[in-house]
Amino acid sequence: MYVIHSQSATSGYSAAAPLALPDNKWAIDGTAFVYKSQWYFVWSGWVGDSNGEQTLFIARMSSPTQVTGARYVISQPREWWEKVDVNPPTRVNEGPEPIIDPNGQLHIMYSANGSWDVNYCLADLRLWAGGDPTYVWDWFKANGCFFSANGGIMMSGWHPTLYAKGVGHHSFVLLNGDPNTSPPAGPTFPLAYHGVPKADNPNPFWGGRYWYSGTFQWWGNITYTRGSESNTGWSLKFYE
């Protein structure tokens, strides 16, 4: 990961410099954000030195450009709906994006499965109220995808896309990109994501991918389960 910085949003940026991450392993898709007055950095990477699977990590920051302390695993692709790619077998959690729901709970929306096939999708991690973002067991994972062309891997009550496939790696449109400006419940708000027109067949996916605009809104009273444990709160719905 690299960082550029400036005192102005429109000019004067520094050259790109490495962002020193704990353990110095392969890393992509990093995002810095503030939650309860503490800076954090969340990204996708490898636990070790080989491409076995892509894990979501989080670390504390002492400033917007300085990571401090250890890295902590918050999600690994271990659910059945995150492991449906077979050619090649793919184990991916990537593209983490923070957003804060109307109850003040932190969510990390991320992409699962391979970005080169129809199983690519958006899914959710919800931090329980009062939880520690660096403690994996304070996070509850949705029980399926929220945005995908494959209806078979969707969470109950969510529906597959109609016009695009391979959808994922999104960006919420938030004021100043700050999750503390996350929108209220009710209306829909802008979303960007990439995908491939569903009618394209065959399609090279990466070579035929487009940016799409869509919308999202909060969806209330949704329960995520983990073994005998459960957590109920806000979730998200996405629209093409």
Side-chain angles (χ1 to χ4, degrees):
M1 299 304 309
Y2 287 77
V3 61
I4 61 175
H5 59 89
S6 173
Q7 297 300 311
S8 167
T10 58
S11 63
Y13 280 94
S14 68
L19 182 66
L21 293 178
D23 302 323
N24 193 31
K25 305 300 182 183
W26 182 85
I28 60 170
D29 300 349
T31 299
F33 67 98
V34 175
Y35 176 65
K36 293 188 175 180
S37 301
Q38 170 66 55
W39 278 96
Y40 293 94
F41 192 73
V42 62
W43 73 98
S44 174
W46 298 344
V47 171
D49 295 319
S50 61
N51 184 10
E53 63 181 19
Q54 284 178 230
T55 293
L56 297 185
F57 297 96
I58 198 169
R60 295 183 178 91
M61 306 182 83
S62 57
S63 75
T65 60
Q66 183 68 48
V67 174
T68 184
R71 64 175 181 163
Y72 300 90
V73 172
I74 60 170
S75 180
Q76 293 177 292
R78 302 297 169 80
E79 301 300 320
W80 70 267
W81 46 271
E82 299 176 297
K83 301 189 296 182
V84 292
D85 288 328
V86 295
N87 188 26
T90 304
R91 305 291 180 262
V92 172
N93 283 178
E94 64 183 12
E97 291 289 344
I99 193 167
I100 296 172
D101 72 28
N103 284 343
Q105 288 179 254
L106 176 64
H107 296 244
I108 299 292
M109 296 295 305
Y110 67 96
S111 300
N113 300 307
S115 59
W116 50 86
D117 209 340
V118 295
N119 299 312
Y120 204 45
C121 71
L122 293 181
D124 185 34
L125 295 172
R126 181 203 292 144
L127 187 71
W128 70 270
D132 177 356
T134 66
Y135 184 54
V136 65
W137 297 115
D138 283 353
W139 291 96
F140 280 80
K141 182 177 288 192
N143 298 110
C145 297
F146 289 168
F147 199 49
S148 175
N150 181 356
I153 60 176
M154 307 291 284
M155 186 161 165
S156 178
W158 273 253
H159 303 287
T161 53
L162 297 176
Y163 307 110
K165 57 190 175 184
V167 293
H169 210 150
H170 69 301
S171 291
F172 296 113
V173 180
L174 305 176
L175 183 63
N176 297 322
D178 182 358
N180 295 286
T181 67
S182 297
T188 58
F189 294 87
L191 173 79
Y193 60 95
H194 63 213
V196 173
K198 189 176 277 190
D200 287 7
N201 188 26
N203 188 279
F205 275 88
W206 283 356
R209 194 159 59 182
Y210 295 87
W211 275 109
Y212 287 86
S213 61
T215 57
F216 72 95
Q217 68 179 154
W218 292 108
W219 207 257
N221 199 34
I222 302 300
T223 299
Y224 302 166
T225 58
R226 182 180 63 211
S228 61
E229 298 179 284
S230 65
N231 182 268
T232 300
W234 288 98
S235 191
L236 287 158
K237 285 221 174 182
F238 298 91
Y239 308 97
E240 292 178 276

